Amino acid sequence: MGFSKRWLLLCLLLETFLPYCKGKIYPRDIKLRMHKYRRLWNGVASNTGPNYGGWLLRILNSNGQFACVGAYYSPLLVITSANCIYPYRNSLEGATVEGTAYSKCDKENIADIDTIEFPKRFIYQKLYMDVALVRLKEPIKGRLTEFIRLCNVKVRPRMRMFVFGWGYDSAEVQAASSDPRNSSVHIMSTKECRPKLRKGLNLSSTSLCVRQPRNPRKCLYDGGGPMIYGTQLCGIVSFGSNCQDTSKPGMFTNIKKVSRFIVETEQSIKAGYIFRAEKYRRNKRAKLSGNSGTIEETKTTINPLDDMVC
Ligand SMILES: *[C@@H]1O[C@H](CO)[C@@H](O)[C@H](O)[C@H]1NC(C)=O
Ligand SMILES: *[C@@H]1O[C@H](CO)[C@@H](O)[C@H](O)[C@H]1NC(C)=O
């Protein structure tokens, strides 16, 4: 019996204890033309354990500082909040997007940003159409990197969702963690939400309100941070709330209501209607070197990651 057969048998025996056996360590990096359906996230149980999801990304500004959270949607597209990324739109030289799930086989999990696409009707610091697509110069590598599905369920009041982040935007509550965390929130009805909104903020037809966890330390509200239902991306952290006062609703963009913008932008790019940045240069730098050893930071609790052969 060869190694792989023995491994398969072991996997069958241990399937319930070892989610890795379901083959979530991908044999190769994401290629430009890879179909995203070959690489969709299948939930926590089938995923990379403490890494949560290979689709959770950090967007870094040109100084290498955290800017926004992103969700990996297709080889060259990352979904984030327009309000969050808007201030960075004119200084993208050196801005990057970084994967957060690493394996020892990965040398580079970071890609340069090419351009950012905003919906035409988005207005900075308003809630309507608060979504942006970050276009990358090359796919994000990594054997754990994967894509997230767009929401196809109708989001209703009281539904329980998971949000992800580091807590960069709630420094007044506690310091940001080095690894991403999750927290759960419940959807709030528009009727209940509207009177609780911050003064001067108008609820929009593309927004969702959530009830934040009572404990501010459990609140996560990093700009662009994903809100997940099952294995789908149903919302992203929008604008106009914070974690200091968790009695106020958290504002999220309803992905289902903006999915047309996402899909149409993707198609326009494919058809060549939307162009790349003028000065497109492939600029291969020693990307992970200046990056404070993010790989060493990753804690893996189950073995297949250690046993993988690169
Ligand atoms: C949230 O985090 C906990 C603790 O790390 C983990 O057990 C759980 O699977 C996570 N849930 C999601 C949806 O990622
Ligand atoms: C909110 O909506 C009202 C009525 O449509 C409008 O007059 C007001 O300017 C809006 N406020 C903001 C901050 O957009």
Side-chain angles (χ1 to χ4, degrees):
M1 191 156 62
F3 172 77
S4 62
K5 265 191 194 148
R6 237 180 294 157
W7 179 241
L8 192 70
L9 192 65
L10 191 68
C11 282
L12 285 174
L13 288 169
L14 295 179
E15 187 151 327
T16 36
F17 309 107
L18 278 181
Y20 290 100
C21 292
K22 288 177 186 158
K24 295 300 286 188
I25 299 169
Y26 297 96
R28 53 187 68 85
D29 289 328
I30 288 172
K31 295 269 165 28
L32 194 59
R33 306 212 171 274
M34 178 184 280
H35 202 292
K36 58 177 182 282
Y37 297 112
R38 288 178 51 194
R39 196 99 169 198
L40 288 174
W41 183 53
N42 278 320
V44 185
S46 71
N47 197 254
T48 46
N51 292 301
Y52 293 148
W55 50 271
L56 185 66
L57 308 172
R58 277 196 325 164
I59 304 174
L60 306 174
N61 70 12
S62 48
N63 301 325
Q65 305 289 313
F66 171 81
C68 304
V69 185
Y72 206 11
Y73 169 66
S74 71
L76 293 182
L77 292 177
V78 174
I79 298 171
T80 191
S81 142
N83 274 310
C84 182
I85 201 84
Y86 191 82
Y88 303 98
R89 72 198 181 286
N90 294 325
S91 48
L92 294 176
E93 191 72 44
T96 54
V97 179
E98 182 187 50
T100 60
Y102 303 99
S103 79
K104 66 174 179 192
C105 298
D106 300 332
K107 293 193 177 56
E108 179 186 282
N109 295 65
I110 195 159
D112 289 321
I113 295 180
D114 185 19
T115 51
I116 299 177
E117 307 296 334
F118 294 95
K120 284 196 184 65
R121 296 179 64 195
F122 165 72
I123 299 169
Y124 183 46
Q125 298 193 335
K126 301 230 167 165
L127 298 177
Y128 186 62
M129 293 301 289
D130 182 8
V131 61
L133 283 175
V134 175
R135 189 174 180 187
L136 305 173
K137 291 185 179 176
E138 68 261 323
I140 298 169
K141 296 199 171 103
R143 304 261 300 264
L144 308 178
T145 311
E146 53 195 354
F147 304 117
I148 189 85
R149 295 174 175 80
L150 296 185
C151 196
N152 67 15
V153 296
K154 187 164 166 39
V155 177
R156 294 173 194 284
R158 292 188 295 280
M159 272 165 89
R160 184 170 184 240
M161 306 284 197
F162 278 95
V163 293
F164 296 80
W166 287 258
Y168 288 107
D169 292 18
S170 40
E172 65 282 341
V173 179
Q174 64 188 330
S177 50
S178 55
D179 292 323
R181 292 180 281 132
N182 73 46
S183 184
S184 73
V185 293
H186 287 90
I187 302 293
M188 191 188 261
S189 73
T190 317
K191 210 170 134 192
E192 193 185 343
C193 176
R194 197 166 269 132
K196 291 187 176 164
L197 280 188
R198 202 181 80 183
K199 248 190 150 158
L201 197 67
N202 284 342
L203 201 59
S204 91
S205 57
T206 60
S207 305
L208 287 170
C209 300
V210 310
R211 195 183 309 283
Q212 296 283 28
R214 220 170 265 155
N215 179 355
R217 297 172 71 87
K218 289 198 173 150
C219 167
L220 285 171
Y221 202 72
D222 295 337
M227 179 165 81
I228 300 295
Y229 184 74
T231 58
Q232 304 176 1
L233 179 68
C234 287
I236 49 175
V237 169
S238 178
F239 169 77
S241 189
N242 60 55
C243 285
Q244 258 174 316
D245 181 1
T246 52
S247 67
K248 291 254 178 302
M251 306 306 300
F252 285 74
T253 301
N254 188 339
I255 285 295
K256 199 160 185 223
K257 295 276 175 72
V258 300
S259 62
R260 196 165 151 192
F261 161 77
I262 296 170
V263 172
E264 285 183 359
T265 305
E266 182 187 22
Q267 287 167 350
S268 302
I269 287 174
K270 252 185 213 155
Y273 296 141
I274 299 179
F275 301 110
R276 287 174 167 281
E278 272 166 42
K279 297 184 298 176
Y280 177 70
R281 285 181 286 126
R282 270 189 103 75
N283 122 24
K284 289 256 172 231
R285 287 172 282 123
K287 285 174 176 169
L288 274 179
S289 60
N291 222 306
S292 66
T294 13
I295 286 188
E296 288 91 294
E297 249 167 53
T298 313
K299 290 179 224 79
T300 43
T301 51
I302 319 177
N303 287 334
L305 278 179
D306 299 338
D307 292 345
M308 62 193 283
V309 181
C310 303

